[in-house]
């Protein structure tokens, strides 16, 4: 296959060139090849063959690239597991894909044997990958609009066609130094794993520590000339003081991009809005952002994709996609596959569920989803899947799920619930639902209501719920915070910092960050804001350890007192 030939040619041609660079060390092409060979030989010795399926549960370190490339070069299909997934969810995915193995950083588990194995040293053999049939490269699980997670099957040829289409669109060559900051369970990680090595470039790798540190990540970005991220992350970086430079190509994608953020990214050499569902292999189109544009557009399809406009009412369209980019379908789900991948005048077309408008010049603008899928902090989430999980829990008689806030870091997943006498508390509820949905799908906020208002069609009226409980002008919930602290100036600074990423109310100041859905990325911006306002150094780890808003207030007050004593 062309991409493997070019990768291995670059291994041979430039053994001493930098393949991967972190904040602390570099890995050469020859060193990376050595690790790839180690894993290829080990997996071969253990009996893995082309066509086998392997669950990947990897920590974010330098072995990630070597394991993924080794499996791909062997024709083995990998299925990334989202960090924090419950045992039952992993088992469900393993059963659905008929996985033979599960692989971690220094261990593997042969599922049919039920025994773990340590990765051991095996004889090194420099075996160049041979030509393999067009099997599956990976299966990526996403939320489905029906409420059941879907495993999107991407073939080796679809993945290769996408990578070369992206190389062509951005005119990427051996000078590329691409940021790798995405979890394997996001398909956006695919170009970060493979693309630089196809052209003989390098990866600038953000490990788990750097990935969640708004002081370290901007430093790593200075080493890159290509980086892709969600609008949420770009917004966090800019608000923390980072600015793009004119040597960089920046890609925003994975969720809606506001025109104001788009214009801020224009400080880079070039900035792009990329669009694409997982079913179209990562990205399907791109638009080069123009500072003068009044709106964000989808742009033109990549050279492996074609757009189709399926008419709806009011001059709106559902977007369809065809081409070499398309997934093979959903694993073990022919009904969902047949519903989403349809025949249109002899072409196989994927119905995206995205509603777009067409302007007079033919340009397309994304408007909204047609189904229950939403984007929160870059995650594709089915509100129906969340609703189903909540309603199956003890004491819950009904649930409605909504997203409030603007696109980007302020967006929050909200669950309105009705309960009966069997309901215990939110912590108990969250412990129950985490067995059926991953952590990023647990609502940021819970609101208990007496009943659900209905619209004229007899359905739950989310608009009315939103109006009753959320102030769209201030971006906050209609509740008054009653947290008490002796030092109100310190208290207010800390609360203001947290208010930047979540509603600060009397009901959540003592709740654990995990129950509120607070992420490390959000805590990074809180840390930066508090540190700047109080002239203190507030480590993100300290806020994580504090575990709640109230405990964070106490920590900052104590730190400020110590500083005053030292002064």
């Amino acid at each position: 296959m062309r991409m493997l030939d070019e990768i291995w040619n670059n291994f041979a041609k430039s053994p001493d060139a930098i393949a991967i660079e972190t904040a602390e060390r570099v890995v050469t092409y020859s060193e990376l090849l050595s690790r790839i060979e180690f894993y290829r030989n080990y997996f071969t010795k253990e009996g893995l063959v082309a066509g086998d399926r392997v669950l990947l549960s990897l920590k974010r370190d330098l072995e990630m690239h070597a394991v993924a490339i080794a499996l791909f070069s062997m024709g083995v299909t990998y299925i990334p597991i989202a960090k924090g997934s419950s045992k039952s969810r992993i088992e469900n995915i393993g059963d659905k894909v008929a996985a033979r193995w599960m692989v971690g950083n220094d261990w593997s588990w042969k599922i049919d044997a039920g025994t773990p194995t340590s990765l051991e040293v095996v004889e090194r053999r420099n075996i160049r990958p041979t030509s393999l049939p067009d099997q599956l490269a990976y299966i990526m699980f996403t939320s489905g609009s029906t409420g059941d997670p879907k495993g999107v099957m991407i073939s080796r040829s679809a993945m290769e066609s996408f990578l070369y289409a992206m190389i062509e669109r951005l005119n990427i060559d051996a000078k590329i130094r691409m940021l790798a900051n995405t979890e394997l369970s996001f398909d956006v990680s695919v170009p970060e794993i493979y693309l630089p090595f196809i052209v003989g470039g390098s990866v600038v790798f953000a490990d788990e520590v750097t990935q969640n540190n708004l002081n370290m990540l901007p430093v790593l970005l200075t080493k890159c000339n290509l980086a892709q991220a969600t609008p949420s992350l770009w917004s966090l970086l800019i608000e923390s003081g980072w600015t793009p430079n004119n040597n960089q190509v920046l890609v925003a994608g994975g969720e809606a991009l506001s025109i104001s953020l788009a214009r801020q990214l224009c400080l880079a050499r070039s900035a792009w809005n990329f669009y694409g569902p997982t079913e179209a292999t990562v990205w399907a189109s791109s638009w080069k952002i123009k500072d003068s544009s009044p709106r964000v557009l989808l742009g033109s399809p990549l050279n492996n994709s074609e757009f189709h406009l399926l008419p709806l009412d009011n001059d709106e369209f559902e977007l369809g996609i065809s081409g070499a980019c398309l997934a093979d379908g959903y694993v073990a789900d022919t009904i969902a596959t047949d519903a989403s991948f349809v025949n249109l005048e002899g072409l196989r077309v994927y119905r995206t569920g995205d509603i777009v408008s067409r302007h007079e010049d033919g340009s397309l603008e994304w408007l909204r989803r047609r189904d229950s899928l939403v984007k929160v902090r870059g995650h594709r989430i089915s509100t129906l899947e969340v609703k189903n999980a909540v309603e199956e829990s003890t004491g819950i008689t009904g649930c409605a799920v909504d997203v409030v806030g603007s696109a980007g870091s302020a967006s929050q997943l909200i669950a309105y619930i009705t309960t009966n006498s069997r309901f215990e508390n939110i912590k108990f509820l969250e412990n129950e639902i985490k067995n059926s949905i991953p952590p990023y799908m647990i609502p940021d906020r819970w609101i208990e209501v007496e009943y659900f208002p209905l619209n004229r069609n007899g359905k739950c009226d989310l608009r009315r719920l939103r109006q009753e409980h959320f102030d769209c002008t201030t971006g906050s919930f209609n509740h008054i915070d009653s947290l008490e602290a002796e030092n109100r100036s310190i208290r207010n600074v800390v609360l203001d910092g947290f208010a930047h990423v979540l509603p600060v109310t009397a009901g959540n100041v003592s709740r654990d960050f995990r129950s509120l859905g607070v992420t490390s990325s959000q805590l990074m911006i809180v840390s930066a804001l508090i540190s700047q306002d109080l002239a203190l150094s507030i480590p993100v780890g300290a806020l994580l350890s504090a575990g709640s808003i109230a405990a964070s207030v106490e920590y900052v007050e104590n730190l400020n007192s110590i500083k005053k004593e030292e002064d």
Side-chain angles (χ1 to χ4, degrees):
M1 135 173 255
R2 178 186 172 191
M3 64 174 277
L4 283 178
D5 286 340
E6 295 199 7
I7 289 173
W8 255 257
N9 285 342
N10 287 323
F11 284 148
K13 183 172 65 177
S14 309
D16 297 324
I18 295 175
I20 304 175
E21 182 176 1
T22 71
E24 299 176 347
R25 60 167 295 196
V26 297
V27 175
T28 66
Y29 267 68
S30 63
E31 289 171 329
L32 176 59
L33 177 59
S34 178
R35 296 307 297 162
I36 293 171
E37 288 175 344
F38 166 81
Y39 288 112
R40 281 169 52 87
N41 296 334
Y42 171 78
F43 293 139
T44 300
K45 175 178 173 290
E46 291 297 314
L48 268 181
V49 296
D52 280 345
R53 296 178 177 181
V54 172
L55 305 180
L56 280 189
S57 181
L58 298 174
K59 291 183 292 187
R60 189 168 183 80
D61 65 15
L62 288 173
E63 298 299 292
M64 192 174 81
H65 284 75
V67 173
I69 295 173
L71 291 171
F72 179 78
S73 70
M74 294 173 63
V76 174
T77 304
Y78 69 86
I79 302 95
I81 300 298
K83 186 164 51 176
S85 294
S86 66
K87 183 174 182 289
S88 61
R89 186 178 178 89
I90 295 172
E91 289 174 345
N92 175 265
I93 290 174
D95 290 343
K96 187 172 283 191
V97 303
R100 286 194 60 209
W101 287 78
M102 185 167 178
V103 173
N105 286 70
D106 53 5
W107 55 270
S108 64
W109 183 286
K110 194 171 184 179
I111 292 173
D112 52 7
T115 54
T117 305
S118 296
L119 296 187
E120 59 188 40
V121 176
V122 293
E123 178 187 357
R124 179 178 175 183
R125 293 177 295 153
N126 190 347
I127 305 174
R128 191 180 181 92
T130 56
S131 178
L132 294 165
D134 186 23
Q135 296 162 322
L136 296 181
Y138 61 86
I139 301 174
M140 196 72 64
F141 274 80
T142 70
S143 279
S145 59
T146 61
D148 184 39
K150 293 179 179 178
V152 182
M153 300 185 292
I154 301 297
S155 69
R156 296 164 66 83
S157 60
M159 188 177 98
E160 182 178 84
S161 75
F162 155 69
L163 290 168
Y164 281 102
M166 187 171 179
I167 288 170
E168 178 186 73
R169 179 60 52 94
L170 295 180
N171 196 26
I172 296 171
D173 58 24
K175 297 176 183 177
I176 195 66
R177 303 176 73 198
M178 185 175 190
L179 178 68
N181 193 51
T182 309
E183 299 295 338
L184 271 180
S185 54
F186 277 148
D187 61 349
V188 179
S189 66
V190 169
E192 297 174 0
I193 292 288
Y194 302 98
L195 189 150
F197 307 129
I198 295 174
V199 297
S202 63
V203 166
V204 180
F205 183 76
D207 59 21
E208 286 187 355
V209 175
T210 306
Q211 186 185 37
N212 294 320
N213 189 310
L214 271 185
N215 293 319
M216 298 174 68
L217 190 55
V219 174
L220 203 63
L221 271 168
T222 62
K223 303 177 183 223
C224 305
N225 54 23
L226 172 62
Q228 51 179 11
T230 62
S232 295
L233 182 54
W234 288 131
S235 179
L236 283 170
L237 286 163
I238 288 172
E239 289 172 16
S240 71
W242 172 82
T243 55
N245 68 58
N246 59 12
N247 293 319
Q248 294 173 322
V249 175
L250 303 183
V251 170
E255 60 189 11
L257 174 66
S258 68
I259 189 62
S260 60
L261 177 58
R263 288 169 178 163
Q264 292 178 82
L265 295 178
C266 282
L267 292 174
R269 186 175 85 215
S270 66
W272 299 75
N273 179 48
F274 269 62
Y275 161 83
T278 302
E279 290 84 350
T281 315
V282 194
W283 306 127
S285 72
S286 68
W287 174 66
K288 191 173 183 179
I289 299 170
K290 301 173 184 176
D291 191 31
S292 59
S293 177
R295 60 181 66 90
V296 173
L297 302 173
L298 294 186
S300 59
L302 301 185
N303 68 14
N304 67 336
S305 309
E306 184 179 351
F307 280 173
H308 305 267
L309 298 181
L310 312 178
L312 301 171
D313 297 329
N314 303 319
D315 295 323
E316 294 179 350
F317 304 86
E318 180 182 0
L319 185 63
I321 302 176
S322 67
C325 63
L326 289 193
D328 285 7
Y330 302 112
V331 65
D333 196 340
T334 55
I335 294 176
T337 298
D338 292 343
S340 296
F341 296 85
V342 299
N343 185 290
L344 182 66
E345 299 178 352
L347 289 174
R348 183 169 179 262
V349 175
Y350 170 63
R351 301 188 62 162
T352 66
D354 288 321
I355 307 302
V356 301
S357 63
R358 180 171 57 186
H359 297 286
E360 291 184 1
D361 62 359
S363 62
L364 300 179
E365 181 180 2
W366 185 90
L367 298 178
R368 64 185 182 278
R369 288 291 303 172
R370 191 177 187 180
D371 51 30
S372 66
L373 295 180
V374 296
K375 282 290 184 77
V376 178
R377 294 182 290 274
H379 294 280
R380 183 164 113 174
I381 294 174
S382 164
T383 56
L384 180 58
E385 185 177 355
V386 177
K387 170 184 165 68
N388 290 345
V390 174
E391 289 185 339
E392 290 174 2
S393 302
T394 306
I396 301 296
T397 57
C399 176
V401 181
D402 192 16
V403 173
V404 298
S406 60
S409 60
S411 295
Q412 304 257 328
L413 190 68
I414 310 301
Y416 302 93
I417 56 173
T418 55
T419 65
N420 60 25
S421 58
R422 297 176 61 211
F423 177 70
E424 293 194 25
N425 53 52
I426 294 298
K427 184 175 182 181
F428 183 86
L429 169 61
E430 290 178 336
N431 282 334
E432 276 197 306
I433 66 173
K434 72 181 183 182
N435 290 318
S436 52
I437 57 177
Y440 65 81
M441 293 178 66
I442 294 176
D444 298 309
R445 180 170 177 81
W446 302 89
I447 298 177
E448 191 170 355
V449 297
E450 292 185 7
Y451 66 95
F452 294 115
L454 302 181
N455 60 24
R456 66 181 62 184
N457 296 320
K459 297 181 179 180
C460 176
D461 194 335
L462 280 175
R463 183 180 60 83
R464 282 178 58 191
L465 282 172
R466 197 180 304 129
Q467 288 175 342
E468 291 173 12
H469 296 277
F470 186 73
D471 186 338
C472 294
T473 60
T474 63
S476 61
F477 285 86
N478 302 324
H479 299 277
I480 298 174
D481 170 42
S482 62
L483 178 71
E484 293 298 333
E486 292 182 6
N487 189 330
R488 295 194 60 83
S489 61
I490 297 292
R491 164 191 180 274
N492 290 338
V493 169
V494 176
L495 295 184
D496 286 346
F498 278 101
H500 197 82
V501 299
L502 81 161
V504 176
T505 68
N508 68 16
V509 292
S510 297
R511 286 178 58 188
D512 186 275
F513 286 145
R514 287 171 295 181
S515 70
L516 292 170
V518 178
T519 66
S520 298
S521 295
Q522 289 175 310
L523 288 179
M524 283 193 291
I525 192 65
V526 173
S527 168
L529 290 169
I530 298 173
S531 298
Q532 181 177 359
D533 286 349
L534 297 178
L536 291 171
S537 177
I538 311 293
V540 176
L543 298 182
L544 282 168
S545 298
S548 69
I549 297 174
S552 296
V553 169
E554 184 177 355
Y555 166 79
V556 175
E557 287 178 338
N558 291 337
L559 189 65
N560 189 62
S561 297
I562 293 171
K563 181 176 181 290
K564 284 183 176 180
E565 290 175 4
E566 291 176 347
D567 292 343

